[in-house]
Amino acid sequence: MNSAVRAGFLFRRLHRCVFRQIERRVLALPLLNFHTLLIQRDCHASVGNLEITDIPDIKDLTQGDPTLEKKLKVIILEMDIWRQEGERVPTQLKPADWKELISLESRSARKKYLLFIWKKEMTKSNEKRKKELKRIDREKLDIPVRDRDAYGLGGNTIFMRIRESTMTNYLNGKLIEAMQFGQELVVDCGYDQYMTRREAKNCAKQLMLLFSDNRMHINPFNLYFCNARKESESIKEFGKLLCIPFEPHFPLNITEKSYLDLFPKQNLVYLTPHCREELLHYDHNAVYIIGAMVDKVHNEPLSLARAKEQGLKMAKLPLDRYLSWGSGSGKSLTLNQMIMILLDLKLSGDWSKALKHVPSRKIMKVYQVDSSAKQFKLNKSKDEKSSPKDFYNQLLLKKMKK
Amino acid sequence: MARRVSSLCKATQWSILKNFVSGPVTVVYSQQLYHTQRKLLTASTSRLPFFTCYRYQHQQSRDSDESDDNDVPRVQRMKEHESILRDVIARGEPLSKDEWNKVKQEVFNLNSFVNAENIDAIIMGLCIGEKQFAVGSSLLDSLRESGISPNTATLARFLKLCYDCKAGDEESVLEICNEIRNRCPVLDASTADNVIHGLALTSRWQEGLELLSEIRLSAVPISASFNVLAEAAFKNGELKLGWELMEQMLQLERRPTPPVYKAWIDQCMRTKGSEASVMIGQLLDFWADHDLRPSLDVAEHLRSWFEHDKYSWEGCFTTISPRGSCQNCRTVLRKRKITTAEFEAMRKEFFEQVIVGSNVFLKSNPEELETFQQFLSRTAPYDVVIDGLNIAYSSGRLRPQQAVKALESVVQHFATRKKRMLVLGRRHMQNWPQKEMNYIHEHAFVFLAQNLSQDDPFLLYAAMYSGPFTQFVSRDLMRSHVYLLKDSSLRRIFRRWQQQRQLQLIRAISGHVTIMPPLSYNPSVQQGPGAVWHVPYDTEFKVQPKQMFEPPRHWLCLREASQCS
């Protein structure tokens, strides 16, 4: 594997596994297991298998409120009934899952949430099973076990080993340099009250990807996460994904303050898709603001309303000007796509290079019939990456027409 | 094929490939992947050559008990067990204990998600679908014979089966209800609903009311609970209770089903004297107030009541002409008046919830609202309010030269009829061709909102401010604005006001202006002069009927036979 790809995989480990605490998995149903049920053919699963006292941290969940306790009993019964009807309901729930289940208002929301937990459970058990089978197959083949970190070719390689910590230190150093000399970029995290829990989790993941994309780039921004309250769902989840973002040595500025307190107002430009002016010329002295919101549920122009209220300049990306938009998925871009566009724009000043980070599924593709060969040829829109061969062919065609 | 397929989105890819392969699929993707891992690699690999490919093994569907050779997707396997069971149930014969065990073993051998825990409830659910009472009760008997006590879901579904097939004696039903309630001190929504169905067959149907309030703890009750109880109430003579339940149902946006109406009409048939006509009047007023329409079978039932031998009424299915006259009795239908109080309430709520809403900056800003209100106080009242941009772009996204001509022709249309007009638009209209804009400014008041504000709420508010008789011209159906009004009664008033006052523009090209006038009559249940009722109906019962913007096509005309010529 070449070093760049390896760096990517290592980053994945860094963000996900290296510093993460392993949560204690608590069994809610100690004995009930699908496999044992299959064996005991004439058993009957009576209702109330799970008692309310079996749930850990029950006091924290209900806080002694009798209506909440009653609701919890109803929810447990509901789960049992769904299981008896053959619906997809998980067998084990963590304390955080119970908390979220109580807070959901409607039956259909609870059903969807339980389906989500069931899917996670099944994926895990399937992976485990496959791993077991693979292990058995490998034992049969009798391959010698290699040390995970050893290189091939007898343990030799001409490349110098680059360790994770070296890469981390190098990239953090670039971030520190950006904090001293680079341009600032503000991410406005104050939209938590408009997002559902699922959206908040998606937002946290996008924030993590935004941070990592920024760090990996040759010319990073000095990132500020403003209006980031530690109690908000998205920031809490973000803290779980990167375990050390709130420590002072971490190269990221997370504050509860607003960007109005940190930067002079005339430099601020809010990037919102609901306004009319396009951002045609990138200003290296301006402080651009991106709203950290996943708006699958709330479709209102919230960022526009905020910018209007605070009297800030607004701009939107010139997507219509440079790209022919296709019919697949709307014009919303994720946070990491946004920051890649801005990073490349800052570097090159060229919109066609920057907008390459818009996913190609959103852009219209034109299929052309080549009448001579009677084949379908894929002809991409002119702003997309075209291979040198296509470009040369088009040049030839133009010359022949003349 | 993989390269061609790779340019489509993931869902389309999988649907194409599914038709060709039946085993585990190896999909070769080109560089534009959107798996999460890919994102982390983006920065580092953006300098890689274009044709790097990554191989991903498609993840198997996530069923727990399947073996590795069983690669058939879950939906297909679900149908297999269902087809086996449906064959058995559709025959309609009760099965013995051994026969049931054999059928169950056959289903278990499919190695799907169906196991000993959930098969009973699944079978009972299929019996409900096929309406086979005998098969369902034979299942319960076979379980009891084997000494297994059926689980709660099976018992609850059996109660629903009893209700749907109108079978099952009172004792056994009550026994099952008692058992369920003994097992579980609190019931969840679906079990409680099924128990209500069971109780409605017996004399203890009133316990269903407590269960209804219990359901509310964790969920919104489904309409079946209300309907079953209302029907039971009407059948057992508790008329007031039945009406209360119907009102509660409507508060939660649920609709009564035909059996409830039929039960009420049956009750009317049983009562004698003028009481019965008062009761029928109550039903018709209920429909008129809530803008409800019965289905065809209820309309038939109603007609048969009216044509009872005691009464000399006559019912006839008919249509209403565009001018509002009934084809049968030639009476002209009337509009329903909106009272001043209703109008004021709607206007106030509209301003607070739609224009201001949670944040005034979403649709406009405070300064603009202030300016607008001052403008209205200076220049109101108007005869017509025109949605400038909607009219101008009525033939598509035209250039300003053509757009302004459309608007000018509409203004001219009203100017010749000497109407006082207000035209609403946006600031960029100041740059439109001067000649036509001058004409518009001469003949109408013009208010231009900020380019970032939405102009529809302004249009509606101006029309409401001006008075209950002001009309407004737009092609928009105003659905999103209605939804923001929280109260359902206010929404009904808004819809009524919109039906009476909105002039729909059909065409405004080069001087020819076609405007559709509003409906001259109220398209819902109404009483005519003398002894005549007109009832619109739907050909079949819909749980949530779509908002009708066209007048109903089917009507029932009921009138006293002495009046017919």
Side-chain angles (χ1 to χ4, degrees):
Chain A
M1 264 198 271
N2 69 38
S3 57
V5 176
R6 190 181 158 76
F9 281 126
L10 287 172
F11 260 107
R12 187 157 173 265
R13 274 180 51 204
L14 171 77
H15 290 307
R16 293 202 174 226
C17 306
V18 175
F19 297 114
R20 196 146 85 143
Q21 297 168 25
I22 301 163
E23 277 184 355
R24 217 163 27 97
R25 292 284 311 277
V26 185
L27 285 175
L29 298 174
L31 294 175
L32 203 61
N33 188 339
F34 270 1
H35 298 298
T36 54
L37 264 183
L38 274 178
I39 295 164
Q40 302 161 30
R41 285 285 163 171
D42 48 3
C43 79
H44 58 277
S46 61
V47 159
N49 242 336
L50 172 65
E51 288 299 322
I52 197 169
T53 43
D54 286 346
I55 300 174
D57 303 329
I58 182 79
K59 286 262 158 48
D60 290 334
L61 276 176
T62 58
Q63 274 134 24
D65 186 3
T67 42
L68 269 182
E69 272 190 33
K70 211 174 175 195
K71 189 173 180 185
L72 191 59
K73 283 191 186 146
V74 172
I75 290 174
I76 294 169
L77 175 62
E78 205 174 55
M79 260 177 73
D80 267 331
I81 297 281
W82 276 332
R83 194 174 299 118
Q84 287 167 15
E85 289 178 350
E87 301 282 346
R88 294 177 283 188
V89 168
T91 49
Q92 296 163 359
L93 282 175
K94 294 188 249 176
D97 298 335
W98 281 113
K99 213 169 179 182
E100 180 147 357
L101 201 60
I102 291 191
S103 69
L104 294 170
E105 288 299 326
S106 73
R107 232 158 67 93
S108 59
R110 288 195 287 266
K111 201 169 187 182
K112 283 181 197 166
Y113 185 67
L114 288 173
L115 180 66
F116 168 65
I117 310 271
W118 181 86
K119 284 183 188 177
K120 282 204 292 191
E121 206 179 274
M122 285 303 128
T123 321
K124 263 209 171 94
S125 70
N126 283 346
E127 271 177 19
K128 226 175 178 176
R129 198 163 35 89
K130 288 200 176 121
K131 213 171 166 181
E132 269 302 307
L133 293 173
K134 276 201 180 139
R135 193 177 61 81
I136 293 169
D137 285 339
R138 243 181 310 143
E139 278 173 3
K140 284 190 200 152
L141 289 176
D142 219 11
I143 300 171
V145 176
R146 268 173 40 181
D147 179 20
R148 207 166 45 134
D149 285 339
Y151 285 128
L153 297 174
N156 296 315
T157 172
I158 59 171
F159 299 111
M160 192 170 82
R161 187 191 194 97
I162 303 176
R163 299 190 187 270
E164 281 177 50
S165 47
T166 321
M167 281 191 261
T168 321
N169 287 334
Y170 167 69
L171 292 170
N172 281 351
K174 290 239 321 273
L175 270 184
I176 305 287
E177 190 192 356
M179 286 165 100
Q180 290 173 297
F181 307 112
Q183 189 179 4
E184 293 104 355
L185 182 82
V186 172
V187 177
D188 182 5
C189 304
Y191 290 101
D192 218 64
Q193 73 243 54
Y194 301 109
M195 292 198 277
T196 58
R197 248 188 158 101
R198 210 182 100 213
E199 288 177 333
K201 285 185 182 157
N202 285 351
C203 184
K205 193 170 201 177
Q206 286 180 18
L207 286 175
M208 178 194 83
L209 295 172
L210 178 148
F211 174 76
S212 105
D213 281 342
N214 181 47
R215 184 156 81 166
M216 289 269 249
H217 198 258
I218 197 166
N219 191 0
F221 280 117
N222 177 10
L223 275 182
Y224 276 86
F225 282 14
C226 292
N227 294 324
R229 286 173 43 247
K230 286 206 182 110
E231 308 86 45
S232 62
E233 270 301 314
S234 49
I235 297 296
K236 262 201 295 193
E237 293 291 324
F238 177 67
K240 278 193 216 163
L241 287 169
L242 302 179
C243 290
I244 44 172
F246 301 115
E247 315 241 330
H249 66 262
F250 196 74
L252 173 66
N253 306 302
I254 305 186
T255 57
E256 286 199 17
K257 293 193 212 167
S258 166
Y259 39 84
L260 295 170
D261 304 325
L262 295 169
F263 304 103
K265 207 168 172 188
Q266 61 264 30
N267 289 355
L268 292 170
V269 179
Y270 212 114
L271 296 176
T272 165
H274 308 286
C275 69
R276 286 173 182 252
E277 295 99 33
E278 290 179 335
L279 177 69
L280 293 171
H281 177 71
Y282 184 82
D283 184 6
H284 294 267
N285 296 318
V287 176
Y288 289 104
I289 308 172
I290 306 176
M293 170 151 172
V294 175
D295 59 352
K296 289 183 191 169
V297 175
H298 281 266
N299 290 324
E300 298 150 346
L302 293 162
S303 49
L304 177 76
R306 191 172 284 202
K308 259 204 264 181
E309 206 172 346
Q310 293 165 350
L312 301 172
K313 275 183 279 198
M314 293 176 267
K316 68 175 179 182
L317 299 182
L319 299 172
D320 285 324
R321 194 181 276 254
Y322 290 99
L323 298 173
S324 48
W325 213 262
S327 54
S329 74
K331 279 209 176 124
S332 45
L333 296 172
T334 65
L335 293 173
N336 51 317
Q337 287 162 11
M338 272 300 292
I339 202 169
M340 283 310 299
I341 292 172
L342 288 174
L343 281 166
D344 277 351
L345 184 66
K346 183 166 77 138
L347 193 61
S348 63
D350 187 1
W351 276 107
S352 48
K353 286 199 184 124
L355 289 176
K356 287 198 165 116
H357 294 284
V358 175
S360 65
R361 67 179 181 277
K362 299 189 188 238
I363 298 173
M364 194 160 61
K365 286 173 183 44
V366 178
Y367 283 88
Q368 270 186 349
V369 178
D370 184 3
S371 54
S372 60
K374 292 221 170 94
Q375 273 173 354
F376 282 97
K377 192 163 44 160
L378 182 63
N379 182 21
K380 294 174 192 154
S381 66
K382 56 185 170 172
D383 302 300
E384 281 232 60
K385 289 183 257 240
S386 52
S387 70
K389 197 169 143 193
D390 283 354
F391 180 64
Y392 185 63
N393 283 342
Q394 282 174 16
L395 263 185
L396 272 181
L397 278 169
K398 277 189 198 164
K399 275 196 178 160
M400 278 157 53
K401 275 181 192 166
K402 284 180 192 169
Chain B
M1 188 187 91
R3 278 296 301 280
R4 222 182 292 150
V5 166
S6 67
S7 57
L8 304 167
C9 76
K10 198 171 185 181
T12 337
Q13 285 176 22
W14 181 232
S15 57
I16 292 173
L17 290 172
K18 224 168 39 165
N19 293 330
F20 290 92
V21 298
S22 56
V25 175
T26 306
V27 181
V28 177
Y29 283 74
S30 67
Q31 197 187 17
Q32 293 293 342
L33 290 165
Y34 44 92
H35 192 275
T36 319
Q37 277 184 334
R38 188 72 191 82
K39 285 262 161 45
L40 280 165
L41 300 173
T42 310
S44 57
T45 55
S46 56
R47 291 170 208 102
L48 281 178
F50 178 58
F51 300 110
T52 310
C53 293
Y54 290 87
R55 281 184 185 273
Y56 270 84
Q57 194 83 8
H58 176 78
Q59 282 194 1
Q60 267 312 353
S61 58
R62 336 86 180 162
D63 285 295
S64 55
D65 334 338
E66 56 165 315
S67 59
D68 258 333
D69 354 283
N70 199 355
D71 295 327
V72 181
R74 183 197 161 95
V75 175
Q76 206 171 333
R77 275 183 294 107
M78 209 150 82
K79 292 196 177 142
E80 277 175 31
H81 88 261
E82 224 180 82
S83 62
I84 293 176
L85 291 170
R86 267 191 208 274
D87 288 336
V88 170
I89 294 169
R91 266 180 255 145
E93 298 151 9
L95 297 164
S96 71
K97 180 177 104 166
D98 299 317
E99 286 170 341
W100 273 123
N101 282 339
K102 215 170 75 173
V103 171
K104 285 189 191 177
Q105 194 56 44
E106 215 183 309
V107 175
F108 291 149
N109 289 340
L110 291 175
N111 258 330
S112 66
F113 69 97
V114 183
N115 55 29
E117 194 189 7
N118 53 31
I119 189 159
D120 297 324
I122 291 176
I123 295 176
M124 203 57 85
L126 291 170
C127 291
I128 294 176
E130 303 281 332
K131 287 209 170 33
Q132 297 284 5
F133 177 74
V135 183
S137 59
S138 76
L139 173 69
L140 274 191
D141 293 335
S142 78
L143 285 174
R144 291 214 176 96
E145 259 181 77
S146 329
I148 307 172
S149 102
N151 56 29
T152 317
T154 323
L155 288 176
R157 281 185 167 183
F158 179 69
L159 288 176
K160 178 119 199 294
L161 180 67
C162 293
Y163 183 84
D164 279 349
C165 304
K166 300 275 184 280
D169 59 309
E170 185 157 329
E171 260 185 54
S172 52
V173 165
L174 281 178
E175 199 189 305
I176 295 176
C177 292
N178 287 335
E179 182 162 357
I180 293 179
R181 295 206 77 179
N182 286 338
R183 281 190 197 178
C184 333
V186 266
L187 289 178
D188 74 297
S190 59
T191 321
D193 176 57
N194 288 333
V195 171
I196 290 176
H197 276 92
L199 286 173
L201 286 173
T202 69
S203 54
R204 276 170 45 187
W205 61 273
Q206 273 172 323
E207 290 174 26
L209 294 166
E210 304 164 28
L211 281 176
L212 200 64
S213 54
E214 218 178 271
I215 295 177
R216 283 210 144 117
L217 194 64
S218 66
V220 177
I222 57 177
S223 65
S225 326
F226 286 109
N227 280 315
V228 161
L229 279 175
E231 199 186 336
F234 286 148
K235 282 193 175 143
N236 290 309
E238 294 278 342
L239 310 177
K240 208 165 141 216
L241 176 63
W243 282 109
E244 267 174 32
L245 284 167
M246 304 245 281
E247 290 289 331
Q248 276 179 25
M249 204 183 337
L250 286 172
Q251 290 284 341
L252 295 171
E253 313 269 332
R254 310 267 190 267
R255 286 172 178 261
T257 49
V260 179
Y261 295 135
K262 284 190 194 162
W264 177 255
I265 298 175
D266 288 336
Q267 193 67 7
C268 295
M269 285 203 190
R270 266 178 253 140
T271 47
K272 311 233 184 317
S274 59
E275 262 291 308
S277 50
V278 170
M279 285 163 74
I280 280 284
Q282 195 179 5
L283 177 65
L284 291 166
D285 285 332
F286 177 75
W287 283 339
D289 278 334
H290 295 278
D291 280 330
L292 291 172
R293 278 181 226 169
S295 55
L296 178 59
D297 42 352
V298 176
E300 278 283 355
H301 220 68
L302 188 69
R303 188 172 107 165
S304 64
W305 182 86
F306 270 98
E307 291 180 344
H308 226 183
D309 52 3
K310 269 211 185 154
Y311 297 95
S312 50
W313 283 68
E314 188 188 67
C316 172
F317 293 114
T318 176
T319 51
I320 305 285
S321 76
R323 281 176 190 275
S325 74
C326 170
Q327 304 292 43
N328 185 32
C329 60
R330 301 282 166 219
T331 42
V332 178
L333 297 182
R334 293 181 298 200
K335 282 191 208 188
R336 177 167 168 157
K337 286 213 182 103
I338 301 175
T339 63
T340 343
E342 287 177 335
F343 190 76
E344 282 300 312
M346 177 181 74
R347 186 169 89 169
K348 189 161 148 280
E349 279 304 304
F350 189 83
F351 187 77
E352 277 169 24
Q353 284 174 11
V354 180
I355 297 195
V356 176
S358 54
N359 187 355
V360 69
F361 286 98
L362 283 171
K363 297 228 168 84
S364 165
N365 52 41
E367 295 89 29
E368 193 179 39
L369 270 186
E370 201 41 58
T371 326
F372 185 59
Q373 285 190 304
Q374 284 170 4
F375 177 85
L376 285 180
S377 60
R378 264 197 340 241
T379 55
Y382 321 101
D383 294 322
V384 186
V385 182
I386 300 175
D387 187 353
L389 284 170
N390 192 284
I391 304 294
Y393 292 132
S394 55
S395 321
R397 283 258 144 190
L398 303 168
R399 304 170 67 203
Q401 289 92 330
Q402 292 142 317
V404 79
K405 285 212 175 65
L407 186 56
E408 193 201 353
S409 36
V410 172
V411 170
Q412 197 178 29
H413 172 91
F414 287 109
T416 46
R417 288 159 181 75
K418 305 252 182 340
K419 302 274 189 188
R420 198 177 151 95
M421 285 175 275
L422 167 67
V423 174
L424 287 160
R426 285 208 183 126
R427 282 282 149 85
H428 65 79
M429 285 162 72
Q430 283 169 340
N431 304 329
W432 279 7
Q434 280 305 307
K435 189 173 137 230
E436 286 89 356
M437 288 306 290
N438 284 340
Y439 180 88
I440 294 171
H441 277 276
E442 267 173 55
H443 290 91
F445 295 106
V446 181
F447 183 83
L448 300 176
Q450 298 277 348
N451 284 335
L452 286 174
S453 309
Q454 281 189 26
D455 51 346
D456 278 347
F458 285 125
L459 167 84
L460 293 170
Y461 187 64
M464 285 187 212
Y465 186 96
S466 163
F469 299 106
T470 312
Q471 296 176 318
F472 62 98
V473 186
S474 175
R475 293 166 92 229
D476 197 334
L477 297 171
M478 312 289 173
R479 278 177 283 217
S480 52
H481 305 292
V482 169
Y483 183 67
L484 286 170
L485 287 170
K486 299 291 178 220
D487 199 357
S488 55
S489 62
L490 284 175
R491 272 190 235 167
R492 263 181 275 128
I493 298 170
F494 181 91
R495 279 274 171 237
R496 218 176 288 150
W497 174 76
Q498 189 192 3
Q499 271 166 0
Q500 292 176 13
R501 300 287 168 229
Q502 181 169 10
L503 302 172
Q504 282 266 352
L505 180 80
I506 300 180
R507 217 175 348 153
I509 305 174
S510 60
H512 297 291
V513 173
T514 328
I515 291 185
M516 192 162 77
L519 216 52
S520 58
Y521 60 94
N522 180 28
S524 73
V525 176
Q526 53 185 277
Q527 191 172 17
V532 123
W533 278 95
H534 287 98
V535 179
Y537 64 89
D538 292 322
T539 38
E540 53 185 26
F541 173 68
K542 290 194 185 92
V543 177
Q544 286 287 352
K546 281 191 286 192
Q547 280 287 344
M548 301 299 279
F549 292 101
E550 299 155 1
R553 277 182 297 176
H554 311 287
W555 290 79
L556 172 64
C557 170
L558 299 156
R559 58 184 180 145
E560 263 195 277
S562 54
Q563 282 199 349
C564 67
S565 49

